[in-house]
Amino acid sequence: MSDESIPVTPELPDSPVHMQGTDHITIWGSNAEDTIEFYRDLLGMPLVLRQPNLDDPSQTHLFFDTGDGRILTFFVSDDRPSARGQRGGVGAVHHLCFSVDPDEYEETMQALEDAGYQYNIFDRGIFHSIYTRDNNGLVIELSADKYEIPNDRRGEILAKAQELREDDGAEYAKDEHLRGAIEELGLEVVEHDLPDASAGTGGL
């Protein structure tokens, strides 16, 4: 069966188990100081837990709240300097994406600039994204929704946007597909005012 024949749907698959959400993601980090400086002091994620790595107590395990109770953690060690490089390939992390309040989108860009981090912005069709790199070169995406999307309806809205995209023969889901999905599902259309950005595809 080709991947194109696999249905896109918000319905739960017929699988033996089902997840309830993301609990946490853990990254091999450099040192605590640089990691805290980027994720807490710049991106505003509270450091909510610090303890030894239970599999290797010589390392420290840092826990950050990403903003909705979902946790991002790092294994760090003071003898590991930050290095602006990232290993690619199968199994590697391509990027991490965190949600930004649309009303704070431009302030976020300014904060990155003030802290000396370069960034690119894109209009990705159904959302806007700021791309930067953390202290170790890991690509970090900060996305802002174009429209108000209830979290408990997000999967349903995206699946409907996919359906409208396919009906339209479009290469990727665009603004009109997301707006149309919200309208077809009977939800109020509330649009956020976001700055102009390069549209669609492009390099990070």
Side-chain angles (χ1 to χ4, degrees):
M1 180 167 58
S2 71
D3 64 337
E4 291 297 325
S5 66
I6 299 172
V8 176
T9 171
E11 301 301 320
L12 289 176
D14 181 19
S15 56
V17 296
H18 296 101
M19 299 297 100
Q20 295 183 319
T22 301
D23 183 283
H24 72 276
I25 294 171
T26 299
I27 303 292
W28 285 112
S30 56
N31 58 78
E33 181 179 3
D34 291 348
T35 303
I36 292 170
E37 181 180 17
F38 184 83
Y39 288 93
R40 186 195 68 178
D41 300 341
L42 180 58
L43 298 190
M45 297 181 187
L47 176 63
V48 294
L49 183 66
R50 174 172 44 214
Q51 65 182 22
N53 172 355
L54 300 183
D55 295 321
D56 179 0
S58 70
Q59 301 181 84
T60 300
H61 197 177
L62 303 177
F63 292 68
F64 297 90
D65 184 340
T66 63
D68 60 357
R70 307 303 183 206
I71 302 298
L72 176 67
T73 86
F74 290 84
F75 292 144
V76 298
S77 178
D78 288 341
D79 62 359
R80 292 202 295 258
S82 291
R84 294 293 181 95
Q86 185 181 3
R87 185 181 66 188
V90 175
V93 174
H94 184 274
H95 70 275
L96 300 178
C97 182
F98 305 104
S99 298
V100 174
D101 186 327
D103 292 336
E104 298 179 0
Y105 192 77
E106 294 189 69
E107 288 86 344
T108 300
M109 290 188 287
Q110 187 62 55
L112 289 168
E113 189 171 323
D114 291 346
Y117 286 89
Q118 295 181 336
Y119 62 87
N120 295 316
I121 61 171
F122 291 97
D123 177 347
R124 290 304 198 187
I126 56 175
F127 51 85
H128 269 236
S129 291
I130 302 168
Y131 289 92
T132 188
R133 292 180 183 271
D134 75 356
N135 53 295
N136 288 308
L138 178 62
V139 175
I140 302 297
E141 178 184 2
L142 307 173
S143 70
D145 287 328
K146 288 186 172 184
Y147 298 92
E148 287 287 341
I149 299 179
N151 283 331
D152 62 345
R153 303 291 296 275
R154 186 172 295 272
E156 184 181 5
I157 290 169
L158 291 179
K160 175 59 70 172
Q162 165 75 7
E163 179 183 319
L164 296 177
R165 178 192 76 81
E166 290 178 341
D167 291 344
D168 196 28
E171 181 183 358
Y172 59 91
K174 300 180 180 179
D175 182 278
E176 58 265 31
H177 305 128
L178 183 63
R179 186 185 185 98
I182 294 170
E183 290 174 342
E184 285 201 22
L185 292 171
L187 299 171
E188 181 183 3
V189 176
V190 179
E191 187 172 1
H192 295 298
D193 183 22
L194 293 166
D196 291 334
S198 300
T201 60
L204 303 185

